[in-house]
Amino acid sequence: MSEHTIRIPRSSPDATEATLIDLLVEEGGQVSEGEPLFTIATDKVEIEIEAGATGTVHWTGEVETDYEIGAEIGVIQADR
């Protein structure tokens, strides 16, 4: 079973961190690549992030917590 790491993306060139605002798929839920997965906010923008893979979501990050860009906040375990 392969895993796809879920990371906080860079939303602007000068961003160094972002706040995890909302998890749009619950722990253990299924997601398809391209579907909305979570929402982050910086001092300039709030943005919805899409899943980069299809499978089962397992979160390690917590809502309303600040993370550095690139920080791991979960994984998607591929069903195949």
Side-chain angles (χ1 to χ4, degrees), residues 17-45:
E17 67 177 22
T19 304
L20 180 57
I21 299 296
D22 194 14
L23 303 176
L24 304 175
V25 177
E26 60 187 51
E27 172 65 24
Q30 294 292 307
V31 68
S32 294
E33 186 173 355
E35 289 182 347
L37 185 60
F38 63 97
T39 306
I40 60 169
T42 66
D43 56 344
K44 296 182 180 182
V45 67

Side-chain angles (χ1 to χ4, degrees), residues 3-65:
E3 286 188 345
H4 173 79
T5 303
I6 303 168
R7 298 187 183 278
I8 297 290
R10 184 174 304 279
S11 58
S12 66
D14 58 341
T16 59
E17 67 177 22
T19 304
L20 180 57
I21 299 296
D22 194 14
L23 303 176
L24 304 175
V25 177
E26 60 187 51
E27 172 65 24
Q30 294 292 307
V31 68
S32 294
E33 186 173 355
E35 289 182 347
L37 185 60
F38 63 97
T39 306
I40 60 169
T42 66
D43 56 344
K44 296 182 180 182
V45 67
E46 187 171 309
I47 186 169
E48 196 171 85
I49 308 302
E50 297 177 349
T54 297
T56 304
V57 177
H58 298 285
W59 297 108
T60 55
E62 295 184 20
V63 172
E64 298 195 16
T65 301

